[in-house]
Structure formats: structure tokens, C-alpha cells
Amino acid sequence: MEKIRWAPKVRQVKIRQLYENDAAGMVDEELLQEVGYALLDRCQSIWLVTRREVECPRCGTVFSLGEEGEGWKMRSGVQTCPKEGCGWQTSAEEWHNTWAKKDLLGMAARDALAIYLRDFPRAKTAQERMVCIDQLIHAFHISLRDGQLNRSFANNLIEGSHQQVVEFLDGLSALPGGVDKTEWRDHVKTMFKRRKGKA
Ligand SMILES: [Zn+2]
């Protein structure tokens, strides 16, 4: 049976190169596309997991492994791809094991996720693509309960621990000529105050 696969996190070095180019006023369209589509793949994986869905590795059909209703429950038993003649099978447990501990849950960042999925493929210029990437990697998980910032969403997108990724983004914001990140820094301060005592 074909295996379920999820897009990996993007390497820091690629993103850093993009921001160094940007700061120097250079455009490397190839790198921009490479990073932008790697993030898009990653976002698509997060979108599927967050919605309890899987993309059939045999035919590409997307189907749900969760039950409808309050909260969510995994469907029990063998699940067969609904596409006629496909026959690929999995189970909710098997599906869950493929993404567990891979930072693929993005419920609290779904606005940022939806915006990137919608806007990046439509961006027409290098500048528009860069803005999409910049907004995505500086987004946060926002508590569904009280609207507070819980985590940096970049931790789901870029390699490294949560702390390392926030430090990495902070380093990017120190590059000359970049977008003003005062507001983002304030958000990070608030987030860490709130996260005190949490890993
Ligand atoms: Zn299928």
C-alpha cells in the first residue's frame, strides 16, 4: 500500500538567503519559487492534518478521517479511498501515526494558513511573493479560547525548536533594509510572557 507523505519543514538557510537577497535589493526568482512552493506544500500538509483529511497517495483524492460533529473523533476501522476503482486503504490510527510529533497541527493559525494557500499561488511579482512568505512565517497560533498569542507559527514551517525558530526570525529582522518588525517583536515579548513556565 502506498505510504502517506507529508511535506517537510523548510531549512533555515534557504529562508535566510531569501531575506539576505531582499535586504540587498536582489531578486533570486528561482530561490523565491523554491522556498515559496516548499512552504505551500508544508501548508497544504498542515491544512489536511488540521482538517483530519488525507490525500490519497495513489490517486490524489482528498478524504476525511474524522467524524462530523462536536469536536472531532477518528473514524474507526479500515478507510477506503472514495475514488471509484482506486482501492487505496488506510485507517485513522495509521494516518495519525504518520503525522504525530511532526508539528502539523495548525488549527490556531488557520487564518494565516488559508491566506497563504490562497494568495501565494496568485502572486504575480517577486515582491508579492516575498510579502506572502513574510506574513506567513511571522504569524502566530492564536488561542481559540481567549485570542492570545500562543506560539510562533514558523515552528510548524521551519526547521528547529520553537525557541530556535523565534531567534532565527529575530535575526532576520535585524538585516538592513528589511520590513519593520517592531510590532512582531512586541508580539513575541507578549507571547513569551504568557508562555513563562511552559516549554
Ligand atoms: Zn485514491
Side-chain angles (χ1 to χ4, degrees):
M1 210 56 81
E2 295 87 339
K3 285 200 169 73
I4 300 169
R5 75 166 282 284
W6 306 106
K9 291 185 182 184
V10 177
R11 290 168 61 208
Q12 291 186 5
V13 63
K14 295 275 181 189
I15 291 175
R16 182 163 187 92
Q17 187 61 53
L18 207 59
Y19 276 77
E20 282 174 355
N21 289 349
D22 197 54
M26 272 166 37
V27 176
D28 180 342
E29 186 63 41
E30 206 174 307
L31 180 69
L32 194 50
Q33 298 274 0
E34 183 191 336
V35 172
Y37 280 101
L39 287 169
L40 192 74
D41 284 349
R42 181 72 184 172
C43 283
Q44 274 158 351
S45 287
I46 295 170
W47 187 254
L48 288 170
V49 167
T50 302
R51 292 169 54 90
R52 321 299 174 198
E53 290 175 342
V54 67
E55 183 183 304
C56 171
R58 188 176 290 175
C59 76
T61 300
V62 171
F63 62 98
S64 176
L65 294 163
E67 304 275 7
E68 299 285 331
E70 255 333 87
W72 75 283
K73 245 175 68 194
M74 294 199 286
R75 290 180 197 272
S76 55
V78 172
Q79 305 296 317
T80 305
C81 173
K83 171 92 185 255
E84 219 183 293
C86 172
W88 181 78
Q89 291 182 323
T90 189
S91 67
E93 290 75 21
E94 187 180 34
W95 164 82
H96 180 265
N97 289 338
T98 62
W99 62 260
K101 300 195 179 117
K102 286 192 175 149
D103 296 327
L104 280 162
L105 272 173
M107 188 65 84
R110 61 187 162 181
D111 287 352
L113 198 54
I115 288 169
Y116 190 79
L117 287 168
R118 184 194 64 197
D119 290 352
F120 183 80
R122 291 188 195 166
K124 288 187 180 68
T125 63
Q127 199 200 351
E128 282 175 17
R129 281 190 267 281
M130 193 65 202
V131 169
C132 286
I133 292 171
D134 189 64
Q135 286 176 344
L136 176 74
I137 67 175
H138 289 91
F140 293 90
H141 289 265
I142 299 164
S143 166
L144 303 177
R145 190 166 45 80
D146 58 13
Q148 303 266 19
L149 307 177
N150 278 342
R151 297 174 69 80
S152 164
F153 186 39
N155 185 216
N156 299 76
L157 306 168
I158 303 171
E159 287 182 353
S161 68
H162 182 257
Q163 180 75 32
Q164 284 166 348
V165 170
V166 172
E167 280 167 15
F168 168 72
L169 291 180
D170 199 44
L172 292 185
S173 72
L175 288 169
V179 185
D180 179 34
K181 286 290 182 290
T182 313
E183 200 188 341
W184 179 80
R185 283 167 195 267
D186 288 346
H187 286 334
V188 167
K189 261 187 226 149
T190 313
M191 175 183 74
F192 277 120
K193 242 183 241 159
R194 182 176 149 80
R195 286 172 54 82
K196 224 179 242 172
K198 294 185 205 168

